[in-house]
Amino acid sequence: MGSQVKTNLQIEAAFLKVGSVALIPLLALPFSAAPMAISVILFMCLWVLTIYDWVTFRLPNTITAAFFISGLLYIYTYVPSQLVDHLIGAVAGLFFFPLLNALYKALRGRDGVGLGDAKLLAGIGVWLGWAALPLVLLIGSLAGLAYAFYLYLTKNDTIAMTKLPFGPFLSLGCWVSWLYL
């Protein structure tokens, strides 16, 4: 079987296996003050990005660009008075991970974060604004650490060199922040 076919099958299998579990956070929506239709659009964008990153360790430009543009359309249409705060969030999100990666590379001699995570955080900055980014990063980091600890406990092995996709954890931070900010 060709590698592209195998990758496609992996992505499809991940959507089927993780799909029902990934939809559980959507159940919190009725208890949120966030607008329902916009929330569903945001959730579906985050869900697709999560599954894709989980399976391939990549966040493609086309998907992150669609996420970014949908956030701009939301802000422009529903809260245009907050456009500047959300654009600042996009710029802050875009530059945070490359700066963090430069520091990590200086210390460890290798890359630690991909640029897909930066583009995702820029999209999150557009959707939520700059003030929400610290909470998104905190929730995402804590969730990622909890998962890494789970791997450590179940594999009884060091995880210092294990690759983990960070996009799913950023998406979780975005979703929780969207619901409760």
Side-chain angles (χ1 to χ4, degrees):
M1 194 181 301
S3 64
Q4 182 62 35
V5 172
K6 186 176 179 183
T7 301
N8 289 344
L9 290 174
Q10 288 174 326
I11 292 170
E12 289 173 14
F15 271 103
L16 293 173
K17 290 178 184 175
V18 182
S20 58
V21 175
L23 292 174
I24 289 172
L26 198 55
L27 298 174
L29 192 54
F31 305 103
S32 169
M36 181 72 79
I38 301 301
S39 295
V40 170
I41 291 168
L42 173 62
F43 180 83
M44 295 310 293
C45 287
L46 292 171
W47 185 65
V48 168
L49 286 161
T50 293
I51 300 301
Y52 201 96
D53 194 22
W54 196 265
V55 173
T56 66
F57 291 87
R58 292 185 60 246
L59 290 166
N61 292 339
T62 52
I63 301 173
T64 54
F67 178 59
F68 188 91
I69 291 168
S70 65
L72 280 177
L73 290 173
Y74 159 67
I75 295 304
Y76 183 76
T77 305
Y78 290 96
V79 282
S81 62
Q82 297 177 12
L83 184 62
V84 171
D85 289 339
H86 291 257
L87 290 176
I88 291 170
V91 171
L94 187 61
F95 286 105
F96 176 78
F97 281 125
L99 292 173
L100 182 66
N101 192 52
L103 177 63
Y104 183 86
K105 194 169 188 172
L107 293 172
R108 302 280 309 258
R110 61 184 173 94
D111 289 325
V113 182
L115 290 180
D117 295 321
K119 293 179 276 186
L120 174 59
L121 193 59
I124 292 170
V126 167
W127 273 93
L128 301 180
W130 68 268
L133 292 181
L135 181 60
V136 168
L137 287 165
L138 177 65
I139 293 169
S141 297
L142 290 175
L145 283 171
Y147 181 70
F149 186 65
Y150 165 77
L151 289 178
Y152 174 75
L153 291 176
T154 58
K155 288 187 174 186
N156 287 329
D157 194 12
T158 181
I159 58 165
M161 300 301 287
T162 302
K163 275 180 71 174
L164 292 177
F166 194 51
F169 303 111
L170 283 176
S171 294
L172 176 65
C174 177
W175 183 246
V176 170
S177 298
W178 171 262
L179 289 178
Y180 300 109
L181 283 184

